[in-house]
Amino acid sequence: MKQENKQANIHALISMLDESDQELYQSIKDALFALGDEALPYLQDAMGLKSTPLWQNRIEGLIRELRLDTACRHLCEWKTEEKPDLMQGFYFLSSAFYPDLKWESVRDLFNQLYGDCWLLLASNDNLQQNIVLLNNFFFNICKFKIGKKITDGYSFADFFLPKLINLRQGNDRSLSLAYQYLAQRNNIPVFQLNLPVVNILACTTAMDHCNKADIVFCLDITQRGAMVRRADVEPILSEQKQIQVCNTVESLQDYAKLLYVMASMNEIDPFKKQAVKKIQQSLGDSANSISLFGNGHPFSGDESNPAPF
């Protein structure tokens, strides 16, 4: 189809969005969804064409749903990449709710942080010293901080990149993702553990050694990256057989699962609840995912109070 004919077709579809016949409206909606995010600018331009509540509500709803659909499609593609970029996955997840967030801005910021961090670490090959330097860079120089711990309460915004970027603030799990990303880009083998709520990172012997047996020590992100000796965590690692070290995709899968559970319990916005469910379904469960549900309720049973490290 020629571009001008395609544009005319999109305009014609949008012009009928206040159609009262539900079957016809659903057909129009399906046709627009088949276009994907290509239809978004046309819908945005159409916002002011009519002022009726039906028109406004349908346009706004379609824009939100198309953004969500686009984010989920990107996440499905991202998790199958040979070397998925954790920060790009985090961006796709965040873009469903923050349309003004641009990947170029996220990429450039973390490239800058990586470069600044690399200058501090380049001359040192001692793992523990590098962790000390990274902690100082992340928490003192960059001033990343926890707004509210996940176990202390629910904040939807704390799960997403805009607050992390603009205020350098998030919850303990979103900070863990950013910390892990910067560490790994600087060739420091830091990985998320698949614990449901407790946010502990594991430091292994090397970047290609991401198994539980390779853990040298752990890091408590709620204590500004404090190191916890392997001897102190060994009883927990031995007793709780399900604990595993997450790769990049598994880290974001577990993150999305936690977001879904927290939103299911606490979110009052119906769209957000349905959206995080769809995102979690798009990413799927990691192979080593620990169930967050017991007897039908999140965080019940033995996993409601994970053993502290």
mmCIF file of all heavy atoms in Angstrom, residues 5 30 39 60 98 113 122 125 132 143 149 156 175 178 196 203 207 217 220 230 234 260 264 284 295:
data_model
loop_
_atom_site.group_PDB
_atom_site.id
_atom_site.type_symbol
_atom_site.label_atom_id
_atom_site.label_comp_id
_atom_site.label_asym_id
_atom_site.label_seq_id
_atom_site.Cartn_x
_atom_site.Cartn_y
_atom_site.Cartn_z
ATOM 1 N N ASN A 5 -1.928 6.328 0.727
ATOM 2 C CA ASN A 5 -3.132 5.520 0.905
ATOM 3 C C ASN A 5 -3.189 4.935 2.316
ATOM 4 O O ASN A 5 -4.266 4.833 2.918
ATOM 5 C CB ASN A 5 -3.169 4.396 -0.126
ATOM 6 C CG ASN A 5 -3.376 4.904 -1.537
ATOM 7 O OD1 ASN A 5 -3.895 6.007 -1.739
ATOM 8 N ND2 ASN A 5 -2.972 4.104 -2.514
ATOM 9 N N ASP A 30 -9.124 -3.440 16.283
ATOM 10 C CA ASP A 30 -8.235 -4.522 15.854
ATOM 11 C C ASP A 30 -7.356 -4.080 14.686
ATOM 12 O O ASP A 30 -6.164 -4.429 14.621
ATOM 13 C CB ASP A 30 -9.053 -5.748 15.450
ATOM 14 C CG ASP A 30 -9.746 -6.423 16.639
ATOM 15 O OD1 ASP A 30 -9.335 -6.146 17.788
ATOM 16 O OD2 ASP A 30 -10.688 -7.206 16.404
ATOM 17 N N ALA A 39 0.547 3.457 14.609
ATOM 18 C CA ALA A 39 -0.702 4.203 14.740
ATOM 19 C C ALA A 39 -0.650 5.256 15.838
ATOM 20 O O ALA A 39 -1.513 6.147 15.884
ATOM 21 C CB ALA A 39 -1.846 3.228 15.023
ATOM 22 N N GLU A 60 -7.615 7.898 24.418
ATOM 23 C CA GLU A 60 -6.659 7.738 25.516
ATOM 24 C C GLU A 60 -6.447 6.266 25.850
ATOM 25 O O GLU A 60 -5.310 5.829 26.088
ATOM 26 C CB GLU A 60 -7.162 8.495 26.754
ATOM 27 C CG GLU A 60 -7.119 10.006 26.608
ATOM 28 C CD GLU A 60 -7.776 10.721 27.776
ATOM 29 O OE1 GLU A 60 -8.192 10.028 28.743
ATOM 30 O OE2 GLU A 60 -7.875 11.959 27.732
ATOM 31 N N TYR A 98 5.650 5.112 30.930
ATOM 32 C CA TYR A 98 6.310 6.411 30.844
ATOM 33 C C TYR A 98 6.691 6.675 29.390
ATOM 34 O O TYR A 98 7.842 6.482 28.987
ATOM 35 C CB TYR A 98 7.538 6.443 31.765
ATOM 36 C CG TYR A 98 7.180 6.284 33.228
ATOM 37 C CD1 TYR A 98 7.127 5.017 33.822
ATOM 38 C CD2 TYR A 98 6.853 7.395 34.007
ATOM 39 C CE1 TYR A 98 6.779 4.865 35.157
ATOM 40 C CE2 TYR A 98 6.502 7.247 35.346
ATOM 41 C CZ TYR A 98 6.461 5.984 35.911
ATOM 42 O OH TYR A 98 6.113 5.837 37.230
ATOM 43 N N LEU A 113 27.770 6.901 33.146
ATOM 44 C CA LEU A 113 28.054 6.325 34.460
ATOM 45 C C LEU A 113 29.073 5.190 34.340
ATOM 46 O O LEU A 113 29.979 5.066 35.168
ATOM 47 C CB LEU A 113 26.768 5.806 35.107
ATOM 48 C CG LEU A 113 25.714 6.854 35.487
ATOM 49 C CD1 LEU A 113 24.502 6.181 36.107
ATOM 50 C CD2 LEU A 113 26.290 7.894 36.437
ATOM 51 N N ALA A 122 39.691 0.874 36.623
ATOM 52 C CA ALA A 122 40.545 0.331 35.567
ATOM 53 C C ALA A 122 41.894 -0.166 36.064
ATOM 54 O O ALA A 122 42.440 -1.125 35.539
ATOM 55 C CB ALA A 122 40.741 1.376 34.471
ATOM 56 N N ASP A 125 42.527 -4.827 40.037
ATOM 57 C CA ASP A 125 41.980 -6.130 39.675
ATOM 58 C C ASP A 125 41.624 -6.973 40.898
ATOM 59 O O ASP A 125 41.392 -8.173 40.798
ATOM 60 C CB ASP A 125 42.953 -6.906 38.781
ATOM 61 C CG ASP A 125 44.310 -7.132 39.446
ATOM 62 O OD1 ASP A 125 44.475 -6.722 40.612
ATOM 63 O OD2 ASP A 125 45.192 -7.731 38.790
ATOM 64 N N VAL A 132 34.277 -2.221 46.866
ATOM 65 C CA VAL A 132 34.325 -1.031 47.728
ATOM 66 C C VAL A 132 34.281 0.238 46.872
ATOM 67 O O VAL A 132 33.543 1.186 47.172
ATOM 68 C CB VAL A 132 35.589 -1.051 48.615
ATOM 69 C CG1 VAL A 132 35.755 0.278 49.345
ATOM 70 C CG2 VAL A 132 35.517 -2.192 49.627
ATOM 71 N N LYS A 143 24.953 9.026 44.190
ATOM 72 C CA LYS A 143 23.906 9.303 45.180
ATOM 73 C C LYS A 143 22.615 8.514 44.929
ATOM 74 O O LYS A 143 21.505 9.008 45.152
ATOM 75 C CB LYS A 143 23.614 10.806 45.273
ATOM 76 C CG LYS A 143 24.823 11.625 45.679
ATOM 77 C CD LYS A 143 24.469 13.059 45.971
ATOM 78 C CE LYS A 143 25.701 13.884 46.310
ATOM 79 N NZ LYS A 143 26.455 13.353 47.451
ATOM 80 N N LYS A 149 11.828 0.604 50.968
ATOM 81 C CA LYS A 149 12.070 -0.819 50.756
ATOM 82 C C LYS A 149 10.773 -1.521 50.375
ATOM 83 O O LYS A 149 9.693 -1.134 50.838
ATOM 84 C CB LYS A 149 12.628 -1.455 52.032
ATOM 85 C CG LYS A 149 14.059 -1.121 52.324
ATOM 86 C CD LYS A 149 14.570 -2.085 53.385
ATOM 87 C CE LYS A 149 15.193 -1.313 54.517
ATOM 88 N NZ LYS A 149 15.736 -2.221 55.543
ATOM 89 N N PHE A 156 4.487 2.493 43.221
ATOM 90 C CA PHE A 156 4.543 2.072 41.821
ATOM 91 C C PHE A 156 5.725 2.719 41.113
ATOM 92 O O PHE A 156 6.474 2.047 40.392
ATOM 93 C CB PHE A 156 3.233 2.451 41.129
ATOM 94 C CG PHE A 156 3.097 1.899 39.733
ATOM 95 C CD1 PHE A 156 2.753 0.577 39.529
ATOM 96 C CD2 PHE A 156 3.298 2.714 38.627
ATOM 97 C CE1 PHE A 156 2.620 0.062 38.239
ATOM 98 C CE2 PHE A 156 3.171 2.213 37.338
ATOM 99 C CZ PHE A 156 2.823 0.883 37.138
ATOM 100 N N LEU A 175 17.160 -0.602 42.445
ATOM 101 C CA LEU A 175 18.562 -0.238 42.650
ATOM 102 C C LEU A 175 19.478 -1.428 42.368
ATOM 103 O O LEU A 175 20.573 -1.260 41.824
ATOM 104 C CB LEU A 175 18.786 0.258 44.082
ATOM 105 C CG LEU A 175 18.924 1.783 44.246
ATOM 106 C CD1 LEU A 175 17.626 2.479 43.862
ATOM 107 C CD2 LEU A 175 19.320 2.149 45.663
ATOM 108 N N ALA A 178 20.157 -1.635 38.615
ATOM 109 C CA ALA A 178 21.117 -0.629 38.159
ATOM 110 C C ALA A 178 22.528 -0.956 38.634
ATOM 111 O O ALA A 178 23.502 -0.817 37.879
ATOM 112 C CB ALA A 178 20.689 0.748 38.657
ATOM 113 N N PRO A 196 12.524 -14.060 46.558
ATOM 114 C CA PRO A 196 11.296 -13.337 46.231
ATOM 115 C C PRO A 196 11.287 -11.873 46.654
ATOM 116 O O PRO A 196 10.885 -11.007 45.889
ATOM 117 C CB PRO A 196 10.220 -14.127 46.990
ATOM 118 C CG PRO A 196 10.811 -15.455 47.240
ATOM 119 C CD PRO A 196 12.280 -15.230 47.407
ATOM 120 N N CYS A 203 28.307 -12.126 44.378
ATOM 121 C CA CYS A 203 29.543 -11.864 43.651
ATOM 122 C C CYS A 203 30.232 -13.203 43.431
ATOM 123 O O CYS A 203 30.566 -13.904 44.390
ATOM 124 C CB CYS A 203 30.431 -10.908 44.448
ATOM 125 S SG CYS A 203 31.688 -10.124 43.453
ATOM 126 N N MET A 207 32.882 -13.559 35.396
ATOM 127 C CA MET A 207 31.664 -13.213 34.674
ATOM 128 C C MET A 207 30.983 -14.431 34.054
ATOM 129 O O MET A 207 29.766 -14.444 33.876
ATOM 130 C CB MET A 207 31.971 -12.189 33.584
ATOM 131 C CG MET A 207 32.252 -10.785 34.112
ATOM 132 S SD MET A 207 30.873 -10.050 35.026
ATOM 133 C CE MET A 207 29.614 -10.024 33.757
ATOM 134 N N PHE A 217 31.105 -14.076 47.756
ATOM 135 C CA PHE A 217 30.433 -13.406 48.868
ATOM 136 C C PHE A 217 29.165 -12.767 48.315
ATOM 137 O O PHE A 217 28.928 -12.759 47.095
ATOM 138 C CB PHE A 217 31.328 -12.355 49.551
ATOM 139 C CG PHE A 217 31.944 -11.359 48.612
ATOM 140 C CD1 PHE A 217 31.253 -10.221 48.208
ATOM 141 C CD2 PHE A 217 33.244 -11.530 48.140
ATOM 142 C CE1 PHE A 217 31.830 -9.297 47.353
ATOM 143 C CE2 PHE A 217 33.832 -10.615 47.286
ATOM 144 C CZ PHE A 217 33.121 -9.498 46.887
ATOM 145 N N ASP A 220 24.521 -6.815 50.202
ATOM 146 C CA ASP A 220 23.208 -6.379 50.685
ATOM 147 C C ASP A 220 22.957 -4.964 50.186
ATOM 148 O O ASP A 220 23.554 -4.005 50.677
ATOM 149 C CB ASP A 220 23.174 -6.434 52.216
ATOM 150 C CG ASP A 220 21.796 -6.140 52.777
ATOM 151 O OD1 ASP A 220 20.915 -5.695 52.014
ATOM 152 O OD2 ASP A 220 21.593 -6.356 53.987
ATOM 153 N N ARG A 230 30.932 -15.465 52.491
ATOM 154 C CA ARG A 230 30.371 -16.735 52.030
ATOM 155 C C ARG A 230 30.077 -17.661 53.208
ATOM 156 O O ARG A 230 29.050 -18.350 53.233
ATOM 157 C CB ARG A 230 31.365 -17.411 51.066
ATOM 158 C CG ARG A 230 31.008 -18.844 50.667
ATOM 159 C CD ARG A 230 29.828 -18.863 49.716
ATOM 160 N NE ARG A 230 29.274 -20.195 49.548
ATOM 161 C CZ ARG A 230 29.034 -20.771 48.374
ATOM 162 N NH1 ARG A 230 29.337 -20.144 47.260
ATOM 163 N NH2 ARG A 230 28.491 -21.966 48.297
ATOM 164 N N GLU A 234 26.517 -19.542 53.729
ATOM 165 C CA GLU A 234 26.572 -20.953 53.335
ATOM 166 C C GLU A 234 25.420 -21.784 53.902
ATOM 167 O O GLU A 234 24.824 -22.602 53.177
ATOM 168 C CB GLU A 234 27.914 -21.568 53.738
ATOM 169 C CG GLU A 234 28.115 -22.977 53.219
ATOM 170 C CD GLU A 234 28.047 -23.051 51.707
ATOM 171 O OE1 GLU A 234 28.709 -22.224 51.047
ATOM 172 O OE2 GLU A 234 27.311 -23.906 51.187
ATOM 173 N N TYR A 260 4.407 -7.532 39.528
ATOM 174 C CA TYR A 260 3.042 -8.026 39.335
ATOM 175 C C TYR A 260 2.388 -8.366 40.668
ATOM 176 O O TYR A 260 1.229 -7.997 40.926
ATOM 177 C CB TYR A 260 3.065 -9.236 38.408
ATOM 178 C CG TYR A 260 1.807 -10.063 38.430
ATOM 179 C CD1 TYR A 260 0.572 -9.487 38.129
ATOM 180 C CD2 TYR A 260 1.843 -11.413 38.771
ATOM 181 C CE1 TYR A 260 -0.598 -10.244 38.171
ATOM 182 C CE2 TYR A 260 0.681 -12.169 38.800
ATOM 183 C CZ TYR A 260 -0.531 -11.577 38.497
ATOM 184 O OH TYR A 260 -1.681 -12.313 38.548
ATOM 185 N N SER A 264 -0.714 -6.367 42.230
ATOM 186 C CA SER A 264 -1.946 -7.125 42.482
ATOM 187 C C SER A 264 -2.463 -6.892 43.896
ATOM 188 O O SER A 264 -3.670 -6.822 44.131
ATOM 189 C CB SER A 264 -1.700 -8.626 42.272
ATOM 190 O OG SER A 264 -1.323 -8.897 40.950
ATOM 191 N N GLY A 284 7.545 -13.968 31.079
ATOM 192 C CA GLY A 284 7.486 -15.343 31.569
ATOM 193 C C GLY A 284 8.271 -15.526 32.854
ATOM 194 O O GLY A 284 8.977 -14.627 33.323
ATOM 195 N N ASN A 295 -0.758 -21.012 49.192
ATOM 196 C CA ASN A 295 -2.171 -21.053 49.575
ATOM 197 C C ASN A 295 -2.954 -19.909 48.956
ATOM 198 O O ASN A 295 -3.874 -19.364 49.552
ATOM 199 C CB ASN A 295 -2.329 -21.009 51.108
ATOM 200 C CG ASN A 295 -1.639 -22.180 51.774
ATOM 201 O OD1 ASN A 295 -1.654 -23.296 51.267
ATOM 202 N ND2 ASN A 295 -1.017 -21.937 52.917
#
